Amino acid sequence: MKHTLLNTILLLFVAVLMSCGSSDCPLTNTVMQKVGFYNFDGSQLTVDDTLTVMVSDSVILNRLTGGTSVRLPMSYSAPADTLVFCFTPTGATMPATDTIVINKTNTPHFVSLDCARSMFHTITAVSWSRRSPNDTYTYAIDSVALINPEVNYDEKENLQIYFSVYH
């Protein structure tokens, strides 16, 4: 009887200990899109000059130099995000300004009450500013390719931006 009581207490202790120590929350729960930079020939580009990215009058990337890719946040509720890329080559007096519009669906992602809620996104379309014959603005982006439409905890590349300033 003494051993049965001791075994029961030990079993309850182990059960309580196991139920309190585990959480299935992801270690990295930040959802951001990954954008890679490329030359027109498909080779990866290192931005040696200055790149600033803005959304709704807020700077989300300030004066990047030396990067081959960036991770950018996405809005939780808007069906589209409009990103303004200001690219200033060394010695230039005026930046090249491009706009990329990312249409998407937003899906709440819930793991458990212990974890923060996240928002996953599926990119449905991408458009960007293009040069017209009467355009007086300078553009740096030649084209944008959608590589992986699913934006979640993975750090897979979602968009590839091809720059024309290095032609």
Side-chain angles (χ1 to χ4, degrees), residues 1-127:
M1 172 112 166
K2 191 177 193 180
H3 289 290
T4 306
L5 181 61
L6 185 61
N7 286 342
T8 304
I9 291 172
L10 184 61
L11 185 61
L12 284 172
F13 177 74
V14 170
V16 168
L17 186 64
M18 288 178 62
S19 68
C20 295
S22 176
S23 176
D24 291 332
C25 298
L27 295 175
T28 303
N29 64 353
T30 304
V31 177
M32 292 188 161
Q33 62 183 315
K34 185 173 182 181
V35 179
F37 305 134
Y38 294 86
N39 284 305
F40 67 97
D41 64 359
S43 61
Q44 193 160 39
L45 170 71
T46 300
V47 176
D48 292 325
D49 301 317
T50 303
L51 175 64
T52 299
V53 181
M54 297 176 290
V55 60
S56 300
D57 297 331
S58 297
V59 174
I60 59 174
L61 178 68
N62 193 20
R63 297 181 182 180
L64 170 76
T65 57
T68 58
S69 66
V70 293
R71 294 184 66 213
L72 300 172
M74 301 183 87
S75 65
Y76 269 37
S77 59
D81 289 341
T82 301
L83 304 173
V84 177
F85 284 71
C86 295
F87 182 76
T88 309
T90 304
T93 57
M94 188 170 189
T97 303
D98 295 275
T99 302
I100 296 177
V101 178
I102 301 167
N103 295 311
K104 62 191 175 57
T105 59
N106 305 305
T107 307
H109 179 72
F110 178 78
V111 175
S112 75
L113 292 174
D114 297 333
C115 305
R117 183 187 77 139
S118 295
M119 189 68 73
F120 286 1
H121 311 279
T122 301
I123 300 173
T124 56
V126 178
S127 59

Side-chain angles (χ1 to χ4, degrees), residues 151-165:
V151 182
N152 49 36
Y153 296 140
D154 296 340
E155 293 191 17
K156 293 179 181 177
E157 190 170 71
N158 302 103
L159 300 176
Q160 292 180 342
I161 296 178
Y162 293 87
F163 286 94
S164 61
V165 292

